[in-house]
Amino acid sequence: MDFVGLMLKRCVFSTAVLYGSLALFTSILHNVFLLYYVETFVSIYKIDKISFWVGETVFLIWNSLNDPLFGWLSDRAFLSSPQSGPPITTPEVVLKRLKSLSTNGPLFALSFLAFWVAWARPGLQFLLCLCLYDGFLTLVDLHHSALLADLAVSAADRTRLNFHCSVFSALGSFSVFLSYSFWDKEDFYSFRIFCVSLAAFSILGFFLVSRLLRHRFQKEVLHRQDEAQTLKELSVGHAPLTHPEKPVTIGQYLKQLSKHRNFMWFVSMNLIQVFHCHFNSNFFPLFLEHLLSDNISASTGSILLGISYIAPHLNNLYFLTLCQRYGVYQVIRWLFMLKLGLSVAMLLAGADHIYLLCIFIASNRVFTEGTCKLLKLVISDLVDEDFVVNRRQQAASALLFGMVNLLTKPGQTFAPLIGTWLLCVYTGYDIFEREPVKDSLVSVPDVASGLGKPPLRLGCFYMLVFVPITCALLQLASWSRFTLHGRKLQGIKTLRQGAQHGNLIDVKAI
């Protein structure tokens, strides 16, 4: 018997563990991508400013459109009940998503490798690599996120699945620690070998885990089909909630979504969150270089960098226990208030307190990323509300995740564009030219501090504190209008569980 067959036969891992492990094979690659792709094209491939902005603009459009496009292609059959034939069951939906992961996971890993070898003009390679990478990342992320809503409805089961994702994502963040040892702009060969090793591990992982999960759920589908055939012969069964005369069109779906008030308020908040998360990722090396490099060693910088990527996942394990006790809504609100409080405190303390800066730079990323990890639970709750309010045959989880990304992913592109623009306007520092701009609003040393520091350091500090202050205030305003929590959320979950009784998978049982 071959190795894969032996694994299938003797698999003792729970569904939650296997589901969580898929996050490992994505995070080991995506963390390295976020940290180094801008620096690689700017410092090594020497991309020009126009090509960079054109690439980011096209990427913004593609990044926004591919989520709802792939979500619609995946879930359009779930928007209405068929007029004939048996309803689609949850195990069948899960198998469909696992098949997509088994194909697109390895392709995602291969697209990651395209960044680290110069094979075309910098501008063209930048554009093609971003679009190719994001396309496969979207397919992987959509179906993996949708499984969270498909595998469980109860808050406890979803928290359990998310818990395992956090554990494996934390393990995946160790690639950041290792990357710092291989990163060298003067000698790129070692870093390329490191990236190839990561991609090979990811390809193998996606292949094995998806096979294990598909083998498990194929048995579940066969059992359901036998049960459905028996019920059909006996003329017994539950009718779907509604019998529309024709399937729901994309226009009708968008109209339904536009009336979904909680969805709209969540998207407003999440757009800012996506922007802040990617702002931290894109400018973390810049903050280390210009705010701390003269005062800390390279090894300390490496540790700080690694902690900022690993701690959010470990911290999320604690946040999830708080969610079980106080609810996701309340925990997210507390995190926004904490972000605001820490940023104001750092602003008042100033840029000269090095150890406070270290703590703030790390904690800012930790709490911001920690918030992002909890938002999938909120989107899963929105899937439940959409299912109940619009009386769907099956929850269109991938499509709703895709629509959320359509409206929030622009923040990913705005982060480097707005950040580099603010830095250039305020300090005259252009990351493309590495020379001051004469017409800068501030072109003199920081006389106010009395230390004669260059304006670049002061500009980095103000960006570091004012961006989270602004984000936190806007997010608190949006989040206060979100009503899907407490008794209303419990009522929605009760209705969905009742509508799909007998059609859900017991995560603990398998």
Side-chain angles (χ1 to χ4, degrees), residues 29-37 112 115-116 130 133 412:
L29 303 183
H30 194 52
N31 288 333
V32 173
F33 161 78
L34 289 176
L35 195 59
Y36 294 109
Y37 90 93
F112 167 79
F115 284 93
W116 318 116
L130 278 180
Y133 176 85
Q412 181 177 340

Side-chain angles (χ1 to χ4, degrees), residues 100-172:
S100 177
L101 286 171
S102 66
T103 302
N104 295 302
L107 292 175
F108 159 71
L110 291 175
S111 68
F112 167 79
L113 293 177
F115 284 93
W116 318 116
V117 177
W119 48 268
R121 290 187 4 250
L124 178 62
Q125 182 176 348
F126 184 69
L127 174 62
L128 294 178
C129 283
L130 278 180
C131 292
L132 188 66
Y133 176 85
D134 186 69
F136 288 117
L137 175 63
T138 296
L139 286 167
V140 171
D141 187 56
L142 268 184
H143 287 286
H144 186 248
S145 299
L147 283 173
L148 180 64
D150 293 331
L151 289 172
V153 171
S154 72
D157 285 345
R158 284 179 178 170
T159 300
R160 182 166 174 261
L161 292 171
N162 209 339
F163 178 90
H164 286 85
C165 281
S166 295
V167 171
F168 283 100
S169 294
L171 293 175

Side-chain angles (χ1 to χ4, degrees), residues 27 41 150 231 236 255 268 404 408 410 422 435 458:
S27 63
F41 277 90
D150 293 331
L231 291 174
V236 177
K255 186 177 180 180
S268 303
V404 169
T408 61
L422 286 174
E435 294 178 359
L458 184 64

